[in-house]
Every structure is written in C-alpha cells, then in structure tokens.
Amino acid sequence: MNCILESKTYTTDLLKILKQNELFKNLHNKSIFITGCNGLICSAIVDILLIANKNNSLNLKIYLATRNIEKTKRRFEQFDKKSIFFVEYDATKPLKFDEKIDYFIHGASPASPDLFVKTPVDTMLSNIFGLKEILDKAVQCNARTLYISSSEVYGKIQTTEPIKENACGSIDILNSRSSYGQSKRAAETLCASYISQYNSDIVIVRPGHIYGPTANRTDNRVSSSFMYDAFDGKDLILKSKGEQLRSYTYCLDCASAILYVLLKGENGQAYNISNPNSICSIADMAKAFAKYSGVNLRFELPAEEEKKAFNPMNNSSLDSTKLEALGWKPAFTKEEGFEHSIKILKEINQ
C-alpha cells in the first residue's frame, strides 16, 4: 500500500480545500500540537496543515503526539521534515512536553464502537484524563485548545430535525456502551470548568459521522467498514433496515471545519460539524459505497453481541448553522465524498 499522498485524487482534494480557505494564512509562524494524528479526522487535519505550510510558506511548527512514532513518521514521510516534530504520547499517562505552543487540537480518543463495549473503563479514563493533561499544558502555554467531542453527547432525542448545539437527550448511564458518550459529555464539562476556573481559551467541535480514505482498516465504524469492504469487492451487509439518519461528512471537509473553529470559534462554544447537503440514512450511505464499487448491498438480522455496539441514536443529523456562520462551507457533495473515498483507495493500492 502506498502513502495516501500518492493519490492524485486526494492531493487534488487537499488543494481544493486550500484554495477555498484563505483563513489558513493566519497560522503564519504559529505552533500546533495535535493528538490522535493517525486517526481518521486528525490525519486529514495534519495533511491540510502541511500542504498549507508548504504552499503558503507559513513557517508553521506541527507537533504530532503519538503512541507509535515510527508509524506516524511513515504516514507523513512525504512532507518537509523541518515542519514536523514527533512527541511520544499516551492519553492515559502524564504528558511530558516543554515547548511553547500556540494551539492544541485534542483528537485522541477510542473511536471504534467495539472498544466502547470491550474496554469501557479505558474508554472513559482516556477521554477524561487525556484531555486534562492537554488542558493543563495549554494553561501553562496560554494557548487555545480545540477539543474534538462527538455527536453522541446528544444521546437519544425524539426529533427528526437536525440537532442544534443546545439540545440534550438521554443516555443510559448504567449501560457500559455509554462509556463513550458519557465521557465525552464529562470532557466538555471539564472544558467549561477550565474556562471558569483558569480563564482558559477552549472551543469544542462535535463531528457527526465522518468518513473517508484517512480511516484505518482497523476502524470498525459502519462507514469505514463499508468503505473498505466495498473497496475489497465484498458485498455490503447491513444489520438493520438502515433507516437511522446521520450527518455524513467527508474527512477533509471535517478537517477544514475544525481549523475554522480553531481560528474563528468563540471561547466556550461548541460547534456541530455536518455537511448540510450530506444528511442521509445509513442505508443511503451503504448504497453509495456499493454503487461506486460495483458490489451488492444485503440486509441481515444482527446477532445479540453485535447489537451491543450499535449507536442508540436513531437520528444524529446535526444542524450546522452555527459553524457556517463562521464562514465555513463544505467543499464536497456526498456523492463526491463517497466516490472519492473509493477512488483514492484504488489509487494507493494499485
């Protein structure tokens, strides 16, 4: 498998994001510390930053916090090594780091539903204590922090309308699957507490369902699993009717939205990340991946063990009005996003 940056489609998509967002030039001579940099969302953020740094001579310093430095070096090996600094990092351990930083982006978190079920204790502790370490460091640096939360903080809400940031539904606190949503809620309250007690500068984003070729093969979220199964030529098997509504957003649109909030978001505010033109059902998402890969979509009943990992939200479509008020807009339609995801995987696996 080649590096994703060897895909012509992916590099073209990166340049499209860069052309649409002059805002990135405000990062000149800044330093950014990013956790979760090997993941679906934050690896796309790093790609955008490094392309912007190269094309606009930003003199940007990017610190990549990772548990696996060699893996991270391989992922970003095509970029100018003078711009990237690697930091050994584990969200469950104290952060040992002394450099002065302007911005922190905290995206490290268990992300696969099977982990919420199999290791709920680790899920909760890493989400809460990992953020605390970052916020403490940001206080020392007098830096802005962007926390990547989740749409799962909304819980179950009885509405078919896109969810606004002030909504608050129910979460079953005695279900260990709630370890993810509950710890994300607690982490957001921790952000608010640092703002109140330490006068911290913190913004929060709540991504909907993000997909794209930056997802790892080990990512077993439904959109990532379907994307890789479709690429592999396997029939897609949906373990429900697929009627649940989701805000599907292409990884590069999500990454650009996060950078918009980082630079323009209001302290203490949370922003949904959703492409308003890409809200559809799980079945629609699956049909799109099947279409662009030439495979079939089949429906089967789930096993009881599989049900435990299901997202309990029937509607997690998000209202993006608040984000768009900052000046952000998506660069890709849902058709482009699903099609490009498969096309990019094919290009880097030729």
Side-chain angles (χ1 to χ4, degrees), residues 4-297:
I4 192 172
L5 296 163
E6 294 179 12
S7 161
K8 182 179 179 180
T9 301
Y10 188 69
T11 53
T12 300
D13 287 354
L14 281 170
L15 292 173
K16 183 177 181 180
I17 290 288
L18 199 61
K19 184 178 180 180
Q20 183 173 302
N21 296 280
E22 295 294 317
L23 182 71
F24 300 154
K25 293 180 180 178
N26 295 338
L27 290 169
H28 191 260
N29 289 329
K30 300 298 184 180
S31 57
I32 301 181
F33 185 101
I34 303 174
T35 70
C37 54
N38 287 321
L40 166 63
I41 294 174
C42 288
S43 63
I45 294 173
V46 176
D47 287 336
I48 291 174
L49 289 174
L50 289 169
I51 286 287
N53 194 44
K54 176 182 177 181
N55 289 15
N56 296 327
S57 301
L58 297 179
N59 191 34
L60 184 63
K61 292 183 178 179
I62 304 169
Y63 293 84
L64 304 183
T66 174
R67 287 183 297 181
N68 190 332
I69 288 179
E70 289 307 313
K71 177 182 177 181
T72 308
K73 284 182 176 179
R74 289 194 300 271
R75 171 61 175 82
F76 301 106
E77 63 184 357
Q78 292 196 351
F79 286 111
D80 180 11
K81 306 300 187 294
K82 296 178 182 178
S83 306
I84 310 175
F85 304 87
F86 300 94
V87 181
E88 191 170 341
Y89 172 80
D90 187 324
T92 63
K93 298 178 181 178
L95 174 61
K96 298 177 181 179
F97 182 77
D98 298 320
E99 298 294 327
K100 178 73 169 64
I101 297 295
D102 296 301
Y103 297 107
F104 288 87
I105 297 177
H106 183 52
S109 171
S112 296
D114 65 331
L115 293 178
F116 312 158
V117 175
K118 295 176 182 177
T119 56
V121 174
D122 297 340
T123 296
M124 292 201 73
L125 295 182
S126 62
N127 275 340
I128 297 169
F129 292 119
L131 174 61
K132 178 188 179 298
E133 290 293 318
I134 295 297
L135 294 180
D136 284 341
K137 186 59 63 176
V139 168
Q140 295 174 19
C141 295
N142 193 28
R144 161 162 278 205
T145 300
L146 182 143
Y147 174 57
I148 300 178
S149 184
S150 167
S151 60
E152 286 207 29
V153 298
Y154 293 117
K156 289 184 179 180
I157 296 179
Q158 300 303 317
T159 179
T160 57
E161 296 297 317
I163 300 167
K164 295 181 181 293
E165 285 84 355
N166 61 356
C168 186
S170 63
I171 294 180
D172 183 356
I173 60 176
L174 293 182
N175 181 348
S176 63
R177 169 60 175 79
S178 301
S179 57
Y180 183 73
Q182 281 289 84
S183 58
K184 285 291 188 179
R185 279 187 172 183
E188 288 198 22
T189 304
L190 186 63
C191 288
S193 300
Y194 267 77
I195 292 170
S196 176
Q197 186 168 336
Y198 300 113
N199 199 31
S200 295
D201 184 7
I202 306 169
V203 285
I204 297 167
V205 293
R206 296 170 181 161
H209 290 255
I210 313 305
Y211 69 91
T214 53
N216 294 308
R217 267 196 176 269
T218 54
D219 185 340
N220 74 343
R221 282 171 286 194
V222 174
S223 56
S224 299
S225 294
F226 278 3
M227 178 184 70
Y228 276 108
D229 282 348
F231 164 70
D232 290 335
K234 299 176 182 178
D235 285 352
L236 305 185
I237 301 174
L238 194 53
K239 296 298 183 79
S240 71
K241 292 181 180 179
E243 296 173 341
Q244 306 95 316
L245 280 179
R246 302 289 184 251
S247 285
Y248 287 105
T249 304
Y250 186 46
C251 57
L252 291 179
D253 272 334
C254 177
S256 72
I258 286 171
L259 292 171
Y260 247 88
V261 174
L262 179 73
L263 295 172
K264 296 191 70 175
E266 181 182 344
N267 184 24
Q269 292 296 305
Y271 297 83
N272 287 335
I273 294 182
S274 169
N275 182 339
N277 303 313
S278 191
I279 293 174
C280 63
S281 69
I282 292 177
D284 289 334
M285 174 272 295
K287 289 173 184 176
F289 278 132
K291 173 184 175 182
Y292 294 119
S293 302
V295 299
N296 298 314
L297 172 62

Side-chain angles (χ1 to χ4, degrees), residues 237-240 300-310:
I237 301 174
L238 194 53
K239 296 298 183 79
S240 71
E300 291 183 4
L301 292 175
E304 288 302 315
E305 192 65 26
E306 291 173 317
K307 288 181 181 179
K308 292 180 181 180
F310 284 5

Side-chain angles (χ1 to χ4, degrees), residues 310-321:
F310 284 5
N311 183 331
M313 300 168 68
N314 287 325
N315 171 32
S316 59
S317 61
L318 304 179
D319 186 299
S320 57
T321 303

